[in-house]
Amino acid sequence: MKNILLPMLLIAALTISCTGRNDIIQENIRHAEAQLAYLIEASEAGDTLRIPSTYKHGEIEFVPTDDWVSGFFAGTLWYMYELTGKEYYAEQAQKHTEILHDIQYLKWHHDVGFMVYDSYGNGLRLKNIPGYDTVLVNTAKSLATRFRPAAGIIQSWNTHNPAQWQAHRGWKCPVIIDNMMNLELFFKVSEMTGDDTYRKIAMSHADKTLENHYRDDFSTYHVVDYDDETGEVRRKCTAQGIADESRWARGQAWSIYGFTVAYRFTGEERYIQRAKDIADYLLINEDNMPEDMIPLWDFDVVEFANNEEEMVKLFNDKDAMLPYTEIRDVSSASIIASALYELYWYTKTELYKEKADKMIESLSKAPYRAEVGTNGGFLFKHSVGSLPHSVLNIQAGRTKDHNIDVPLNYADYYFLEALLRKGRVEKGENPIK
Ligand code: GLY
């Protein structure tokens, strides 16, 4: 009897644990379907198709096509197609992708990698739609105009237009860690065309980032300002973190994601080593992540908000950041979870999957996940765009804030991506398709 019971119990336990895992994926898909019905309807309610970015004061905000977040809603719809197999989502995704047609020619900022890869890139991968490959190639050509050979990097922001805040920071050629996210487009286009110009630019940028963006503990600076004529590093600082020496959470997220992708396309040991160093730093050091694995918007917010001298220097007000010391950033958790599933696949380090699973579990409930029918149709609450910009705006009496503790379309996008990857690794499949 004992001999029969033991295997049966084991099978039962396994079934329960597998069902449990699938349940969290299926349940999140059902939630996303219900929520996105609102957002899709809202996106179609104007004279032209609109791109939802966040929800504030009871209203959905929409962005123009040249905003850095413009590709995430199309990408969310592509992932819904992939998660459900429903053609309806592919049709919606295609419509939202094609309103971004002109972005392939945009050259005045670096974010086109995000914008076009999430939309056209996913559309090409999933439906092989004619013409999407050309859009990717043209976008890579546009982005390549921002490569600065003397410094070996892709310039993130322009600094010559006084109407833009970037012109007032004393920078010459700022590169932000977020820029690592553009490399996927370059690697893909070289793979598609056989022209390795883009791959070389991507590797040069990754190598310079490896060299210059990191502190000894593998946390990353947000901004490194280069001299584009000599290649010299002029300054290491922040734009969206609380202080130059703080650790802005989303910067850490782009950093681990970016080096994991660089490894995917190159197989270079130095890239996966950096991704592992970042992961270990983020996950093993208990001060970095709260127990539920949803980080504060800046890991060091408590310390710096209480540093009166630093706050006066930056915000001319010693108390400027005190109201913001407990705010989490769901978008960082979604990005890190998605990266960790991929990194787990390459390294088979159980800790990476365990922590990604914990993030998914925390995000699947209150206070992060929105009740169906609320939150303007976005999946998650509690993300942060840029708190320093918001504080400076509020101080200047301007009404526009930069998204404090609100839903953000990229938190939803990377969560769905993480869900897809989780499902695949649990079936023993490569999470990247
Ligand atoms: N790439 C801009 C941000 O993460 O806010």
Side-chain angles (χ1 to χ4, degrees):
M1 190 64 180
K2 245 184 177 174
N3 287 350
I4 301 171
L5 254 183
L6 194 61
M8 279 174 66
L9 281 174
L10 272 175
I11 290 167
L14 257 175
T15 313
I16 289 165
S17 95
C18 290
T19 316
R21 283 202 305 262
N22 285 335
D23 273 352
I24 200 165
I25 295 174
Q26 291 309 322
E27 203 272 321
N28 272 300
I29 294 172
R30 283 195 292 274
H31 171 263
E33 287 214 81
Q35 283 297 80
L36 288 170
Y38 294 94
L39 266 184
I40 291 170
E41 193 183 325
S43 74
E44 290 173 332
D47 296 337
T48 53
L49 198 60
R50 296 180 296 178
I51 306 165
S53 65
T54 183
Y55 177 74
K56 280 189 281 194
H57 316 300
E59 285 189 20
I60 296 174
E61 280 191 8
F62 300 92
V63 287
T65 54
D66 63 358
D67 191 285
W68 82 274
V69 305
S70 67
F72 291 118
F73 190 58
T76 294
L77 297 168
W78 283 121
Y79 284 151
M80 286 306 287
Y81 167 62
E82 205 169 0
L83 284 160
T84 64
K86 292 183 183 170
E87 287 299 325
Y88 166 73
Y89 289 113
E91 285 157 22
Q92 288 294 335
Q94 185 167 354
K95 277 194 322 197
H96 276 275
T97 293
E98 291 173 11
I99 55 174
L100 301 175
H101 182 264
D102 290 348
I103 300 307
Q104 61 192 300
Y105 307 114
L106 191 158
K107 299 190 179 103
W108 64 269
H109 65 66
H110 71 144
D111 286 313
V112 291
F114 279 110
M115 297 150 86
V116 169
Y117 205 75
D118 301 347
S119 53
Y120 282 94
N122 276 315
L124 184 68
R125 180 174 63 84
L126 293 167
K127 284 284 191 185
N128 202 13
I129 298 172
Y132 279 26
D133 49 353
T134 310
V135 174
L136 291 196
V137 174
N138 287 338
T139 309
K141 280 186 190 155
S142 297
L143 186 57
T145 65
R146 301 187 67 79
F147 183 61
R148 306 289 174 251
I153 49 76
I154 305 155
Q155 181 166 354
S156 293
W157 294 324
N158 291 348
T159 56
H160 57 263
N161 179 356
Q164 289 178 329
W165 64 270
Q166 290 95 334
H168 307 282
R169 298 284 170 104
W171 297 327
K172 262 186 104 170
C173 180
V175 175
I176 58 175
I177 188 67
D178 324 27
N179 206 334
M180 282 298 296
M181 300 298 283
N182 288 311
L183 306 188
E184 193 168 7
L185 170 81
F186 274 156
F187 285 127
K188 189 70 196 175
V189 168
S190 274
E191 227 176 58
M192 280 161 49
T193 60
D195 175 354
D196 70 356
T197 312
Y198 306 106
R199 179 185 165 92
K200 282 185 181 154
I201 294 177
M203 289 182 73
S204 170
H205 185 92
D207 287 337
K208 285 291 169 185
T209 303
L210 207 64
E211 189 183 324
N212 293 323
H213 249 86
Y214 289 87
R215 302 185 183 95
D216 290 346
D217 61 6
F218 301 110
S219 67
T220 176
Y221 285 92
H222 182 202
V223 185
V224 173
D225 184 36
Y226 288 87
D227 185 318
D228 52 331
E229 285 155 322
T230 65
E232 223 177 285
V233 171
R234 299 177 70 234
R235 202 179 145 200
K236 300 184 183 191
C237 53
T238 197
Q240 286 167 249
I242 189 168
D244 291 345
E245 287 302 331
S246 77
R247 296 160 301 162
W248 174 51
R250 202 162 47 254
Q252 315 313 309
W254 298 139
S255 147
I256 185 173
Y257 194 115
F259 276 102
T260 307
V261 170
Y263 174 75
R264 184 201 308 161
F265 283 96
T266 63
E268 289 290 341
E269 184 56 30
R270 63 188 182 281
Y271 297 151
I272 195 142
Q273 187 56 50
R274 182 54 54 96
K276 286 192 291 187
D277 288 338
I278 301 162
D280 294 344
Y281 167 72
L282 291 179
L283 303 177
I284 293 168
N285 186 340
E286 282 177 6
D287 294 342
N288 291 336
M289 290 279 186
E291 212 180 307
D292 67 2
M293 296 299 294
I294 313 301
L296 289 163
W297 68 274
D298 188 306
F299 294 175
D300 300 306
V301 60
V302 175
E303 183 189 329
F304 280 101
N306 286 296
N307 181 333
E308 296 185 0
E309 204 182 308
E310 183 88 8
M311 291 301 99
V312 170
K313 187 178 90 193
L314 295 170
F315 301 104
N316 204 22
D317 174 358
K318 70 179 174 45
D319 296 332
M321 281 288 181
L322 287 179
Y324 310 113
T325 54
E326 286 177 10
I327 295 178
R328 307 290 186 95
D329 179 38
V330 161
S331 75
S332 295
S334 298
I335 297 159
I336 294 172
S338 186
L340 283 176
Y341 286 121
E342 182 173 4
L343 192 57
Y344 162 75
W345 181 252
Y346 302 136
T347 61
K348 300 296 183 289
T349 304
E350 287 298 331
L351 177 75
Y352 300 161
K353 181 169 183 301
E354 270 166 36
K355 296 292 183 179
D357 284 347
K358 179 68 190 170
M359 289 175 183
I360 298 290
E361 184 198 317
S362 298
L363 291 175
S364 301
K365 57 191 181 204
Y368 305 112
R369 203 174 78 170
E371 292 291 322
V372 169
T374 69
N375 210 34
F378 289 92
L379 309 187
F380 298 101
K381 303 185 269 187
H382 304 307
S383 286
V384 175
S386 177
L387 244 156
H389 287 91
S390 302
V391 167
L392 293 169
N393 266 355
I394 293 163
Q395 285 176 340
R398 290 189 284 266
T399 50
K400 181 171 169 41
D401 69 55
H402 287 257
N403 300 332
I404 308 172
D405 201 15
V406 291
L408 288 172
N409 64 5
Y410 43 102
D412 294 2
Y413 172 85
Y414 286 104
F415 176 83
L416 294 180
E417 184 180 85
L419 219 52
L420 272 162
R421 292 178 175 191
K422 174 177 167 63
R424 290 192 184 122
V425 297
E426 287 176 357
K427 284 191 263 174
E429 293 171 9
N430 187 335
I432 309 304
K433 284 221 164 130

